[in-house]
PDB file of all heavy atoms in Angstrom:
ATOM      1  N   ALA A   1      -0.294   8.576  -7.379  1.00 96.00           N
ATOM      2  CA  ALA A   1       0.002   8.881  -8.791  1.00 96.00           C
ATOM      3  C   ALA A   1      -1.091   8.208  -9.680  1.00 96.00           C
ATOM      4  O   ALA A   1      -1.633   7.188  -9.319  1.00 96.00           O
ATOM      5  CB  ALA A   1       1.394   8.469  -9.187  1.00 96.00           C
ATOM      6  N   SER A   2      -1.245   8.803 -10.855  1.00 95.00           N
ATOM      7  CA  SER A   2      -2.209   8.314 -11.856  1.00 95.00           C
ATOM      8  C   SER A   2      -1.531   7.515 -12.966  1.00 95.00           C
ATOM      9  O   SER A   2      -0.392   7.816 -13.342  1.00 95.00           O
ATOM     10  CB  SER A   2      -2.969   9.510 -12.442  1.00 95.00           C
ATOM     11  OG  SER A   2      -3.748   9.147 -13.492  1.00 95.00           O
ATOM     12  N   ASN A   3      -2.206   6.514 -13.526  1.00 95.00           N
ATOM     13  CA  ASN A   3      -1.704   5.805 -14.696  1.00 95.00           C
ATOM     14  C   ASN A   3      -2.374   6.490 -15.960  1.00 95.00           C
ATOM     15  O   ASN A   3      -3.226   7.321 -15.810  1.00 95.00           O
ATOM     16  CB  ASN A   3      -1.854   4.317 -14.621  1.00 95.00           C
ATOM     17  CG  ASN A   3      -3.256   3.844 -14.735  1.00 95.00           C
ATOM     18  OD1 ASN A   3      -4.217   4.607 -14.964  1.00 95.00           O
ATOM     19  ND2 ASN A   3      -3.446   2.526 -14.546  1.00 95.00           N
ATOM     20  N   ALA A   4      -2.043   5.921 -17.133  1.00 93.00           N
ATOM     21  CA  ALA A   4      -2.580   6.524 -18.379  1.00 93.00           C
ATOM     22  C   ALA A   4      -4.081   6.353 -18.508  1.00 93.00           C
ATOM     23  O   ALA A   4      -4.726   7.046 -19.199  1.00 93.00           O
ATOM     24  CB  ALA A   4      -1.860   5.794 -19.594  1.00 93.00           C
ATOM     25  N   SER A   5      -4.640   5.347 -17.804  1.00 93.00           N
ATOM     26  CA  SER A   5      -6.103   5.137 -17.809  1.00 93.00           C
ATOM     27  C   SER A   5      -6.837   5.995 -16.796  1.00 93.00           C
ATOM     28  O   SER A   5      -8.035   5.851 -16.630  1.00 93.00           O
ATOM     29  CB  SER A   5      -6.419   3.681 -17.539  1.00 93.00           C
ATOM     30  OG  SER A   5      -5.830   2.892 -18.546  1.00 93.00           O
ATOM     31  N   GLY A   6      -6.103   6.811 -15.998  1.00 94.00           N
ATOM     32  CA  GLY A   6      -6.769   7.630 -15.003  1.00 94.00           C
ATOM     33  C   GLY A   6      -6.998   6.975 -13.687  1.00 94.00           C
ATOM     34  O   GLY A   6      -7.674   7.562 -12.856  1.00 94.00           O
ATOM     35  N   VAL A   7      -6.472   5.788 -13.501  1.00 95.00           N
ATOM     36  CA  VAL A   7      -6.594   5.093 -12.224  1.00 95.00           C
ATOM     37  C   VAL A   7      -5.600   5.758 -11.235  1.00 95.00           C
ATOM     38  O   VAL A   7      -4.443   6.004 -11.544  1.00 95.00           O
ATOM     39  CB  VAL A   7      -6.290   3.568 -12.355  1.00 95.00           C
ATOM     40  CG1 VAL A   7      -6.305   2.919 -11.016  1.00 95.00           C
ATOM     41  CG2 VAL A   7      -7.311   2.960 -13.262  1.00 95.00           C
ATOM     42  N   ILE A   8      -6.095   5.974 -10.018  1.00 96.00           N
ATOM     43  CA  ILE A   8      -5.232   6.508  -8.941  1.00 96.00           C
ATOM     44  C   ILE A   8      -5.356   5.537  -7.806  1.00 96.00           C
ATOM     45  O   ILE A   8      -6.494   5.221  -7.423  1.00 96.00           O
ATOM     46  CB  ILE A   8      -5.562   7.918  -8.539  1.00 96.00           C
ATOM     47  CG1 ILE A   8      -5.387   8.848  -9.703  1.00 96.00           C
ATOM     48  CG2 ILE A   8      -4.728   8.346  -7.329  1.00 96.00           C
ATOM     49  CD1 ILE A   8      -5.860  10.283  -9.431  1.00 96.00           C
ATOM     50  N   VAL A   9      -4.293   5.094  -7.201  1.00 96.00           N
ATOM     51  CA  VAL A   9      -4.250   4.240  -6.051  1.00 96.00           C
ATOM     52  C   VAL A   9      -3.509   4.964  -4.908  1.00 96.00           C
ATOM     53  O   VAL A   9      -2.362   5.451  -5.138  1.00 96.00           O
ATOM     54  CB  VAL A   9      -3.684   2.867  -6.352  1.00 96.00           C
ATOM     55  CG1 VAL A   9      -3.564   1.972  -5.101  1.00 96.00           C
ATOM     56  CG2 VAL A   9      -4.486   2.177  -7.435  1.00 96.00           C
ATOM     57  N   THR A  10      -4.134   4.993  -3.776  1.00 96.00           N
ATOM     58  CA  THR A  10      -3.560   5.556  -2.604  1.00 96.00           C
ATOM     59  C   THR A  10      -3.193   4.464  -1.583  1.00 96.00           C
ATOM     60  O   THR A  10      -4.079   3.613  -1.304  1.00 96.00           O
ATOM     61  CB  THR A  10      -4.467   6.609  -1.910  1.00 96.00           C
ATOM     62  OG1 THR A  10      -4.761   7.631  -2.877  1.00 96.00           O
ATOM     63  CG2 THR A  10      -3.809   7.267  -0.717  1.00 96.00           C
ATOM     64  N   ILE A  11      -1.997   4.454  -1.077  1.00 96.00           N
ATOM     65  CA  ILE A  11      -1.541   3.391  -0.270  1.00 96.00           C
ATOM     66  C   ILE A  11      -1.299   4.042   1.150  1.00 96.00           C
ATOM     67  O   ILE A  11      -0.514   4.999   1.271  1.00 96.00           O
ATOM     68  CB  ILE A  11      -0.232   2.673  -0.742  1.00 96.00           C
ATOM     69  CG1 ILE A  11      -0.515   2.091  -2.124  1.00 96.00           C
ATOM     70  CG2 ILE A  11       0.208   1.622   0.267  1.00 96.00           C
ATOM     71  CD1 ILE A  11       0.749   1.549  -2.821  1.00 96.00           C
ATOM     72  N   THR A  12      -1.984   3.548   2.166  1.00 94.00           N
ATOM     73  CA  THR A  12      -1.794   4.041   3.484  1.00 94.00           C
ATOM     74  C   THR A  12      -1.243   2.964   4.368  1.00 94.00           C
ATOM     75  O   THR A  12      -1.413   1.752   4.070  1.00 94.00           O
ATOM     76  CB  THR A  12      -3.152   4.512   4.113  1.00 94.00           C
ATOM     77  OG1 THR A  12      -4.103   3.424   4.074  1.00 94.00           O
ATOM     78  CG2 THR A  12      -3.736   5.688   3.351  1.00 94.00           C
ATOM     79  N   THR A  13      -0.498   3.319   5.444  1.00 91.00           N
ATOM     80  CA  THR A  13       0.125   2.346   6.299  1.00 91.00           C
ATOM     81  C   THR A  13      -0.182   2.599   7.733  1.00 91.00           C
ATOM     82  O   THR A  13      -0.492   3.735   8.112  1.00 91.00           O
ATOM     83  CB  THR A  13       1.686   2.373   6.139  1.00 91.00           C
ATOM     84  OG1 THR A  13       2.148   3.653   6.495  1.00 91.00           O
ATOM     85  CG2 THR A  13       2.092   2.060   4.739  1.00 91.00           C
ATOM     86  N   THR A  14      -0.211   1.570   8.455  1.00 91.00           N
ATOM     87  CA  THR A  14      -0.385   1.550   9.951  1.00 91.00           C
ATOM     88  C   THR A  14       0.715   0.694  10.538  1.00 91.00           C
ATOM     89  O   THR A  14       0.915  -0.464  10.176  1.00 91.00           O
ATOM     90  CB  THR A  14      -1.743   1.003  10.387  1.00 91.00           C
ATOM     91  OG1 THR A  14      -2.778   1.757   9.631  1.00 91.00           O
ATOM     92  CG2 THR A  14      -1.966   1.079  11.835  1.00 91.00           C
ATOM     93  N   LYS A  15       1.408   1.314  11.458  1.00 88.00           N
ATOM     94  CA  LYS A  15       2.512   0.504  12.127  1.00 88.00           C
ATOM     95  C   LYS A  15       1.834  -0.269  13.264  1.00 88.00           C
ATOM     96  O   LYS A  15       1.314   0.252  14.251  1.00 88.00           O
ATOM     97  CB  LYS A  15       3.582   1.481  12.692  1.00 88.00           C
ATOM     98  CG  LYS A  15       4.813   0.759  13.184  1.00 88.00           C
ATOM     99  CD  LYS A  15       5.904   1.668  13.645  1.00 88.00           C
ATOM    100  CE  LYS A  15       6.535   2.327  12.458  1.00 88.00           C
ATOM    101  NZ  LYS A  15       7.786   3.043  12.797  1.00 88.00           N
ATOM    102  N   ILE A  16       1.872  -1.593  13.138  1.00 90.00           N
ATOM    103  CA  ILE A  16       1.311  -2.477  14.117  1.00 90.00           C
ATOM    104  C   ILE A  16       2.246  -2.717  15.235  1.00 90.00           C
ATOM    105  O   ILE A  16       1.837  -2.689  16.442  1.00 90.00           O
ATOM    106  CB  ILE A  16       0.902  -3.830  13.422  1.00 90.00           C
ATOM    107  CG1 ILE A  16       0.004  -3.629  12.191  1.00 90.00           C
ATOM    108  CG2 ILE A  16       0.286  -4.804  14.365  1.00 90.00           C
ATOM    109  CD1 ILE A  16      -1.303  -2.932  12.469  1.00 90.00           C
ATOM    110  N   THR A  17       3.475  -2.986  14.968  1.00 89.00           N
ATOM    111  CA  THR A  17       4.563  -3.237  15.960  1.00 89.00           C
ATOM    112  C   THR A  17       5.718  -2.358  15.612  1.00 89.00           C
ATOM    113  O   THR A  17       6.254  -2.375  14.549  1.00 89.00           O
ATOM    114  CB  THR A  17       4.958  -4.758  16.002  1.00 89.00           C
ATOM    115  OG1 THR A  17       3.840  -5.521  16.158  1.00 89.00           O
ATOM    116  CG2 THR A  17       5.957  -4.954  17.088  1.00 89.00           C
ATOM    117  N   ASP A  18       6.182  -1.587  16.623  1.00 82.00           N
ATOM    118  CA  ASP A  18       7.330  -0.671  16.439  1.00 82.00           C
ATOM    119  C   ASP A  18       8.490  -1.226  17.271  1.00 82.00           C
ATOM    120  O   ASP A  18       8.368  -1.210  18.554  1.00 82.00           O
ATOM    121  CB  ASP A  18       6.979   0.723  16.869  1.00 82.00           C
ATOM    122  CG  ASP A  18       8.076   1.712  16.499  1.00 82.00           C
ATOM    123  OD1 ASP A  18       9.058   1.386  15.876  1.00 82.00           O
ATOM    124  OD2 ASP A  18       7.869   2.958  16.877  1.00 82.00           O
ATOM    125  N   THR A  19       9.513  -1.767  16.669  1.00 80.00           N
ATOM    126  CA  THR A  19      10.681  -2.318  17.411  1.00 80.00           C
ATOM    127  C   THR A  19      11.979  -1.516  17.024  1.00 80.00           C
ATOM    128  O   THR A  19      12.061  -0.861  16.074  1.00 80.00           O
ATOM    129  CB  THR A  19      10.846  -3.778  17.125  1.00 80.00           C
ATOM    130  OG1 THR A  19      11.049  -3.888  15.716  1.00 80.00           O
ATOM    131  CG2 THR A  19       9.596  -4.569  17.573  1.00 80.00           C
ATOM    132  N   SER A  20      12.967  -1.675  17.887  1.00 79.00           N
ATOM    133  CA  SER A  20      14.249  -1.009  17.653  1.00 79.00           C
ATOM    134  C   SER A  20      15.040  -1.870  16.686  1.00 79.00           C
ATOM    135  O   SER A  20      14.956  -3.061  16.708  1.00 79.00           O
ATOM    136  CB  SER A  20      14.976  -0.856  18.946  1.00 79.00           C
ATOM    137  OG  SER A  20      14.296  -0.042  19.901  1.00 79.00           O
ATOM    138  N   ALA A  21      15.805  -1.206  15.854  1.00 72.00           N
ATOM    139  CA  ALA A  21      16.678  -1.898  14.920  1.00 72.00           C
ATOM    140  C   ALA A  21      17.721  -2.705  15.692  1.00 72.00           C
ATOM    141  O   ALA A  21      18.092  -2.287  16.792  1.00 72.00           O
ATOM    142  CB  ALA A  21      17.363  -0.856  14.012  1.00 72.00           C
ATOM    143  N   PRO A  22      18.019  -3.860  15.300  1.00 70.00           N
ATOM    144  CA  PRO A  22      17.838  -4.440  13.962  1.00 70.00           C
ATOM    145  C   PRO A  22      16.577  -5.293  13.841  1.00 70.00           C
ATOM    146  O   PRO A  22      16.433  -5.997  12.825  1.00 70.00           O
ATOM    147  CB  PRO A  22      19.080  -5.264  13.711  1.00 70.00           C
ATOM    148  CG  PRO A  22      19.380  -5.813  15.118  1.00 70.00           C
ATOM    149  CD  PRO A  22      18.996  -4.628  16.040  1.00 70.00           C
ATOM    150  N   ALA A  23      15.763  -5.337  14.824  1.00 76.00           N
ATOM    151  CA  ALA A  23      14.527  -6.108  14.742  1.00 76.00           C
ATOM    152  C   ALA A  23      13.528  -5.473  13.747  1.00 76.00           C
ATOM    153  O   ALA A  23      13.724  -4.325  13.353  1.00 76.00           O
ATOM    154  CB  ALA A  23      13.834  -6.170  16.151  1.00 76.00           C
ATOM    155  N   ASN A  24      12.584  -6.266  13.291  1.00 80.00           N
ATOM    156  CA  ASN A  24      11.647  -5.868  12.234  1.00 80.00           C
ATOM    157  C   ASN A  24      10.365  -5.207  12.838  1.00 80.00           C
ATOM    158  O   ASN A  24       9.879  -5.643  13.825  1.00 80.00           O
ATOM    159  CB  ASN A  24      11.260  -7.017  11.414  1.00 80.00           C
ATOM    160  CG  ASN A  24      12.388  -7.623  10.629  1.00 80.00           C
ATOM    161  OD1 ASN A  24      13.317  -6.903  10.171  1.00 80.00           O
ATOM    162  ND2 ASN A  24      12.446  -8.952  10.558  1.00 80.00           N
ATOM    163  N   ASP A  25       9.949  -4.150  12.150  1.00 81.00           N
ATOM    164  CA  ASP A  25       8.611  -3.597  12.482  1.00 81.00           C
ATOM    165  C   ASP A  25       7.608  -4.305  11.719  1.00 81.00           C
ATOM    166  O   ASP A  25       7.845  -4.982  10.690  1.00 81.00           O
ATOM    167  CB  ASP A  25       8.522  -2.112  12.055  1.00 81.00           C
ATOM    168  CG  ASP A  25       9.487  -1.209  12.851  1.00 81.00           C
ATOM    169  OD1 ASP A  25       9.956  -1.536  13.897  1.00 81.00           O
ATOM    170  OD2 ASP A  25       9.722  -0.102  12.342  1.00 81.00           O
ATOM    171  N   LEU A  26       6.333  -4.341  12.222  1.00 87.00           N
ATOM    172  CA  LEU A  26       5.176  -4.894  11.530  1.00 87.00           C
ATOM    173  C   LEU A  26       4.326  -3.779  11.030  1.00 87.00           C
ATOM    174  O   LEU A  26       3.818  -3.015  11.838  1.00 87.00           O
ATOM    175  CB  LEU A  26       4.393  -5.829  12.399  1.00 87.00           C
ATOM    176  CG  LEU A  26       3.182  -6.530  11.814  1.00 87.00           C
ATOM    177  CD1 LEU A  26       3.538  -7.333  10.623  1.00 87.00           C
ATOM    178  CD2 LEU A  26       2.447  -7.299  12.855  1.00 87.00           C
ATOM    179  N   ILE A  27       4.157  -3.661   9.680  1.00 87.00           N
ATOM    180  CA  ILE A  27       3.418  -2.558   9.121  1.00 87.00           C
ATOM    181  C   ILE A  27       2.331  -3.134   8.180  1.00 87.00           C
ATOM    182  O   ILE A  27       2.565  -4.054   7.431  1.00 87.00           O
ATOM    183  CB  ILE A  27       4.354  -1.639   8.270  1.00 87.00           C
ATOM    184  CG1 ILE A  27       5.358  -0.993   9.144  1.00 87.00           C
ATOM    185  CG2 ILE A  27       3.514  -0.582   7.498  1.00 87.00           C
ATOM    186  CD1 ILE A  27       6.432  -0.209   8.491  1.00 87.00           C
ATOM    187  N   GLU A  28       1.116  -2.633   8.390  1.00 92.00           N
ATOM    188  CA  GLU A  28      -0.002  -3.072   7.535  1.00 92.00           C
ATOM    189  C   GLU A  28      -0.203  -1.949   6.433  1.00 92.00           C
ATOM    190  O   GLU A  28      -0.297  -0.759   6.763  1.00 92.00           O
ATOM    191  CB  GLU A  28      -1.274  -3.116   8.369  1.00 92.00           C
ATOM    192  CG  GLU A  28      -2.519  -3.469   7.545  1.00 92.00           C
ATOM    193  CD  GLU A  28      -3.692  -3.571   8.427  1.00 92.00           C
ATOM    194  OE1 GLU A  28      -4.328  -2.486   8.679  1.00 92.00           O
ATOM    195  OE2 GLU A  28      -4.056  -4.745   8.827  1.00 92.00           O
ATOM    196  N   ALA A  29      -0.206  -2.359   5.169  1.00 92.00           N
ATOM    197  CA  ALA A  29      -0.396  -1.434   4.049  1.00 92.00           C
ATOM    198  C   ALA A  29      -1.777  -1.735   3.451  1.00 92.00           C
ATOM    199  O   ALA A  29      -2.073  -2.926   3.187  1.00 92.00           O
ATOM    200  CB  ALA A  29       0.700  -1.622   3.053  1.00 92.00           C
ATOM    201  N   THR A  30      -2.509  -0.667   3.138  1.00 94.00           N
ATOM    202  CA  THR A  30      -3.799  -0.810   2.515  1.00 94.00           C
ATOM    203  C   THR A  30      -3.813   0.033   1.167  1.00 94.00           C
ATOM    204  O   THR A  30      -3.529   1.204   1.200  1.00 94.00           O
ATOM    205  CB  THR A  30      -4.967  -0.260   3.383  1.00 94.00           C
ATOM    206  OG1 THR A  30      -4.900  -0.983   4.649  1.00 94.00           O
ATOM    207  CG2 THR A  30      -6.255  -0.458   2.733  1.00 94.00           C
ATOM    208  N   ALA A  31      -4.068  -0.656   0.074  1.00 94.00           N
ATOM    209  CA  ALA A  31      -4.154   0.046  -1.246  1.00 94.00           C
ATOM    210  C   ALA A  31      -5.606   0.237  -1.611  1.00 94.00           C
ATOM    211  O   ALA A  31      -6.365  -0.666  -1.655  1.00 94.00           O
ATOM    212  CB  ALA A  31      -3.447  -0.778  -2.296  1.00 94.00           C
ATOM    213  N   THR A  32      -5.953   1.490  -1.905  1.00 93.00           N
ATOM    214  CA  THR A  32      -7.328   1.841  -2.191  1.00 93.00           C
ATOM    215  C   THR A  32      -7.363   2.614  -3.510  1.00 93.00           C
ATOM    216  O   THR A  32      -6.596   3.545  -3.768  1.00 93.00           O
ATOM    217  CB  THR A  32      -7.919   2.840  -1.093  1.00 93.00           C
ATOM    218  OG1 THR A  32      -7.781   2.173   0.163  1.00 93.00           O
ATOM    219  CG2 THR A  32      -9.396   3.133  -1.366  1.00 93.00           C
ATOM    220  N   ILE A  33      -8.251   2.173  -4.392  1.00 94.00           N
ATOM    221  CA  ILE A  33      -8.458   2.832  -5.712  1.00 94.00           C
ATOM    222  C   ILE A  33      -9.296   4.094  -5.397  1.00 94.00           C
ATOM    223  O   ILE A  33     -10.416   4.006  -4.945  1.00 94.00           O
ATOM    224  CB  ILE A  33      -9.201   1.947  -6.712  1.00 94.00           C
ATOM    225  CG1 ILE A  33      -8.384   0.717  -6.992  1.00 94.00           C
ATOM    226  CG2 ILE A  33      -9.468   2.700  -8.007  1.00 94.00           C
ATOM    227  CD1 ILE A  33      -9.099  -0.348  -7.770  1.00 94.00           C
ATOM    228  N   THR A  34      -8.652   5.293  -5.596  1.00 92.00           N
ATOM    229  CA  THR A  34      -9.349   6.508  -5.285  1.00 92.00           C
ATOM    230  C   THR A  34      -9.843   7.292  -6.489  1.00 92.00           C
ATOM    231  O   THR A  34     -10.517   8.292  -6.364  1.00 92.00           O
ATOM    232  CB  THR A  34      -8.350   7.466  -4.447  1.00 92.00           C
ATOM    233  OG1 THR A  34      -7.138   7.598  -5.163  1.00 92.00           O
ATOM    234  CG2 THR A  34      -8.088   6.825  -3.115  1.00 92.00           C
ATOM    235  N   ALA A  35      -9.572   6.779  -7.730  1.00 94.00           N
ATOM    236  CA  ALA A  35     -10.102   7.342  -8.946  1.00 94.00           C
ATOM    237  C   ALA A  35     -10.002   6.306 -10.051  1.00 94.00           C
ATOM    238  O   ALA A  35      -9.045   5.491 -10.072  1.00 94.00           O
ATOM    239  CB  ALA A  35      -9.299   8.629  -9.401  1.00 94.00           C
ATOM    240  N   GLY A  36     -10.901   6.267 -10.991  1.00 92.00           N
ATOM    241  CA  GLY A  36     -10.931   5.358 -12.069  1.00 92.00           C
ATOM    242  C   GLY A  36     -11.379   3.957 -11.637  1.00 92.00           C
ATOM    243  O   GLY A  36     -11.774   3.768 -10.498  1.00 92.00           O
ATOM    244  N   THR A  37     -11.330   3.038 -12.552  1.00 91.00           N
ATOM    245  CA  THR A  37     -11.663   1.614 -12.288  1.00 91.00           C
ATOM    246  C   THR A  37     -10.668   0.740 -12.919  1.00 91.00           C
ATOM    247  O   THR A  37     -10.048   1.004 -13.991  1.00 91.00           O
ATOM    248  CB  THR A  37     -13.057   1.278 -12.880  1.00 91.00           C
ATOM    249  OG1 THR A  37     -13.060   1.524 -14.240  1.00 91.00           O
ATOM    250  CG2 THR A  37     -14.191   2.150 -12.215  1.00 91.00           C
ATOM    251  N   THR A  38     -10.425  -0.413 -12.319  1.00 91.00           N
ATOM    252  CA  THR A  38      -9.529  -1.447 -12.759  1.00 91.00           C
ATOM    253  C   THR A  38      -9.967  -2.759 -12.098  1.00 91.00           C
ATOM    254  O   THR A  38     -10.603  -2.774 -11.079  1.00 91.00           O
ATOM    255  CB  THR A  38      -8.013  -1.105 -12.466  1.00 91.00           C
ATOM    256  OG1 THR A  38      -7.248  -2.148 -13.130  1.00 91.00           O
ATOM    257  CG2 THR A  38      -7.740  -1.065 -11.015  1.00 91.00           C
ATOM    258  N   THR A  39      -9.669  -3.872 -12.804  1.00 91.00           N
ATOM    259  CA  THR A  39     -10.026  -5.165 -12.220  1.00 91.00           C
ATOM    260  C   THR A  39      -9.075  -5.644 -11.192  1.00 91.00           C
ATOM    261  O   THR A  39      -9.425  -6.535 -10.389  1.00 91.00           O
ATOM    262  CB  THR A  39     -10.133  -6.173 -13.334  1.00 91.00           C
ATOM    263  OG1 THR A  39      -8.950  -6.272 -14.045  1.00 91.00           O
ATOM    264  CG2 THR A  39     -11.284  -5.833 -14.295  1.00 91.00           C
ATOM    265  N   ARG A  40      -7.804  -5.129 -11.198  1.00 93.00           N
ATOM    266  CA  ARG A  40      -6.857  -5.555 -10.180  1.00 93.00           C
ATOM    267  C   ARG A  40      -5.766  -4.526  -9.990  1.00 93.00           C
ATOM    268  O   ARG A  40      -5.476  -3.750 -10.898  1.00 93.00           O
ATOM    269  CB  ARG A  40      -6.232  -6.923 -10.552  1.00 93.00           C
ATOM    270  CG  ARG A  40      -5.371  -6.859 -11.802  1.00 93.00           C
ATOM    271  CD  ARG A  40      -4.835  -8.236 -12.118  1.00 93.00           C
ATOM    272  NE  ARG A  40      -5.878  -9.106 -12.518  1.00 93.00           N
ATOM    273  CZ  ARG A  40      -6.083  -9.708 -13.691  1.00 93.00           C
ATOM    274  NH1 ARG A  40      -5.244  -9.399 -14.651  1.00 93.00           N
ATOM    275  NH2 ARG A  40      -7.086 -10.429 -13.940  1.00 93.00           N
ATOM    276  N   ILE A  41      -5.157  -4.543  -8.811  1.00 94.00           N
ATOM    277  CA  ILE A  41      -4.017  -3.768  -8.515  1.00 94.00           C
ATOM    278  C   ILE A  41      -2.992  -4.575  -7.809  1.00 94.00           C
ATOM    279  O   ILE A  41      -3.351  -5.540  -7.063  1.00 94.00           O
ATOM    280  CB  ILE A  41      -4.315  -2.466  -7.773  1.00 94.00           C
ATOM    281  CG1 ILE A  41      -5.025  -2.752  -6.440  1.00 94.00           C
ATOM    282  CG2 ILE A  41      -5.174  -1.518  -8.551  1.00 94.00           C
ATOM    283  CD1 ILE A  41      -5.108  -1.604  -5.463  1.00 94.00           C
ATOM    284  N   TYR A  42      -1.727  -4.241  -7.931  1.00 95.00           N
ATOM    285  CA  TYR A  42      -0.677  -4.876  -7.199  1.00 95.00           C
ATOM    286  C   TYR A  42       0.028  -3.800  -6.409  1.00 95.00           C
ATOM    287  O   TYR A  42       0.121  -2.596  -6.872  1.00 95.00           O
ATOM    288  CB  TYR A  42       0.283  -5.549  -8.117  1.00 95.00           C
ATOM    289  CG  TYR A  42      -0.396  -6.508  -9.080  1.00 95.00           C
ATOM    290  CD1 TYR A  42      -0.796  -6.184 -10.341  1.00 95.00           C
ATOM    291  CD2 TYR A  42      -0.575  -7.871  -8.649  1.00 95.00           C
ATOM    292  CE1 TYR A  42      -1.405  -7.093 -11.171  1.00 95.00           C
ATOM    293  CE2 TYR A  42      -1.203  -8.779  -9.503  1.00 95.00           C
ATOM    294  CZ  TYR A  42      -1.612  -8.380 -10.718  1.00 95.00           C
ATOM    295  OH  TYR A  42      -2.262  -9.261 -11.601  1.00 95.00           O
ATOM    296  N   ALA A  43       0.535  -4.171  -5.228  1.00 95.00           N
ATOM    297  CA  ALA A  43       1.277  -3.153  -4.423  1.00 95.00           C
ATOM    298  C   ALA A  43       2.640  -3.819  -4.064  1.00 95.00           C
ATOM    299  O   ALA A  43       2.740  -5.032  -3.931  1.00 95.00           O
ATOM    300  CB  ALA A  43       0.499  -2.842  -3.196  1.00 95.00           C
ATOM    301  N   ARG A  44       3.596  -2.960  -3.876  1.00 94.00           N
ATOM    302  CA  ARG A  44       4.947  -3.399  -3.476  1.00 94.00           C
ATOM    303  C   ARG A  44       5.561  -2.349  -2.575  1.00 94.00           C
ATOM    304  O   ARG A  44       5.253  -1.219  -2.651  1.00 94.00           O
ATOM    305  CB  ARG A  44       5.836  -3.769  -4.657  1.00 94.00           C
ATOM    306  CG  ARG A  44       6.384  -2.575  -5.363  1.00 94.00           C
ATOM    307  CD  ARG A  44       7.311  -2.998  -6.496  1.00 94.00           C
ATOM    308  NE  ARG A  44       7.874  -1.867  -7.197  1.00 94.00           N
ATOM    309  CZ  ARG A  44       8.694  -1.979  -8.248  1.00 94.00           C
ATOM    310  NH1 ARG A  44       8.994  -3.188  -8.705  1.00 94.00           N
ATOM    311  NH2 ARG A  44       9.111  -0.872  -8.843  1.00 94.00           N
ATOM    312  N   LEU A  45       6.466  -2.874  -1.787  1.00 93.00           N
ATOM    313  CA  LEU A  45       7.280  -2.058  -0.888  1.00 93.00           C
ATOM    314  C   LEU A  45       8.702  -1.913  -1.525  1.00 93.00           C
ATOM    315  O   LEU A  45       9.240  -2.948  -1.954  1.00 93.00           O
ATOM    316  CB  LEU A  45       7.389  -2.703   0.484  1.00 93.00           C
ATOM    317  CG  LEU A  45       8.480  -2.103   1.425  1.00 93.00           C
ATOM    318  CD1 LEU A  45       7.757  -1.257   2.467  1.00 93.00           C
ATOM    319  CD2 LEU A  45       9.283  -3.183   2.020  1.00 93.00           C
TER     320      LEU A  45
END
């Protein structure tokens, strides 16, 4: 999605460890600015 300044961030994930519930999976998330410019971005799950 885009913000009012035209910045677009795309977040991709890679499952590092896949375990059965109730154990935790390990997922790597990468946030990439795909349009516009900004000095910083924050990501959350």
